[in-house]
Amino acid sequence: MTTTSTLVNNRYRVVRELGKGGFGATFLVEDTQLPSGKRCVLKELMPIENNEETYTLIKQRFEREAVILEELGNVSLQIPTLYAYFGENSKFYLVQEYVEGETIGVRVMSQGVMSDAAVREWLTGILPVLACVHEKR
């Protein structure tokens, strides 16, 4: 497990965990090799099974996903830019642009249920992104 004292890939210092799921976790990190200490998102994928065949398959899919994410980040300003991807200690990592903001869950908790017009506006804003992602499979 990655902790706040961890330096991943001898470069990325974990600031805090952003989320966690069944296959991995997402962290806010600082890039220690940049003078600004630029903040990024580090996505950590942990293969569930510990066998060579599964590991190889996951590695291939991970590399394919990294190629697609890099391409998507270059075609839409609404998709975070991919900065790096690598494997370390039997885990796979993606480093992406950090976009500050609140989640829909946080917004609803702080402002209440969105109006129909606000939901339509929000959906209209993300439909082009979904179309772009779908086009790239």
Side-chain angles (χ1 to χ4, degrees):
M1 171 170 227
T2 306
T3 65
T4 54
S5 62
T6 302
L7 195 62
V8 179
N9 200 31
N10 293 319
R11 180 170 188 162
Y12 303 101
R13 183 175 325 286
V14 175
V15 174
R16 66 182 163 90
E17 185 177 276
L18 296 172
K20 192 170 191 172
F23 297 107
T26 305
F27 302 90
L28 176 63
V29 297
E30 293 174 338
D31 188 337
T32 63
Q33 292 184 10
L34 292 176
S36 65
K38 182 178 194 163
R39 290 196 165 189
C40 310
V41 172
L42 176 77
K43 296 181 179 181
E44 177 184 68
L45 173 67
M46 297 175 283
I48 295 173
E49 292 185 36
N50 192 16
N51 70 51
E52 191 63 34
E53 186 177 319
T54 301
Y55 182 85
T56 301
L57 179 63
I58 290 172
K59 183 179 183 204
Q60 290 169 348
R61 288 185 179 173
F62 174 76
E63 289 171 351
R64 187 169 55 235
E65 180 178 349
V67 169
I68 292 167
L69 285 172
E70 181 179 29
E71 188 176 335
L72 287 171
N74 290 331
V75 297
S76 173
L77 295 175
Q78 290 180 281
I79 297 175
T81 302
L82 177 69
Y83 294 141
Y85 79 99
F86 55 91
E88 183 175 85
N89 299 325
S90 300
K91 298 176 186 174
F92 301 104
Y93 295 91
L94 294 170
V95 180
Q96 290 183 283
E97 174 183 13
Y98 174 61
V99 179
E100 285 197 55
E102 61 185 3
T103 66
I104 287 184
V106 169
R107 183 174 182 185
V108 168
M109 287 177 65
S110 68
Q111 298 178 12
V113 176
M114 297 168 68
S115 69
D116 289 350
V119 170
R120 269 194 294 283
E121 182 180 331
W122 182 79
L123 288 173
T124 301
I126 66 166
L127 286 175
V129 177
L130 293 174
C132 179
V133 171
H134 181 71
E135 182 180 296
K136 301 295 179 188
R137 298 184 186 258

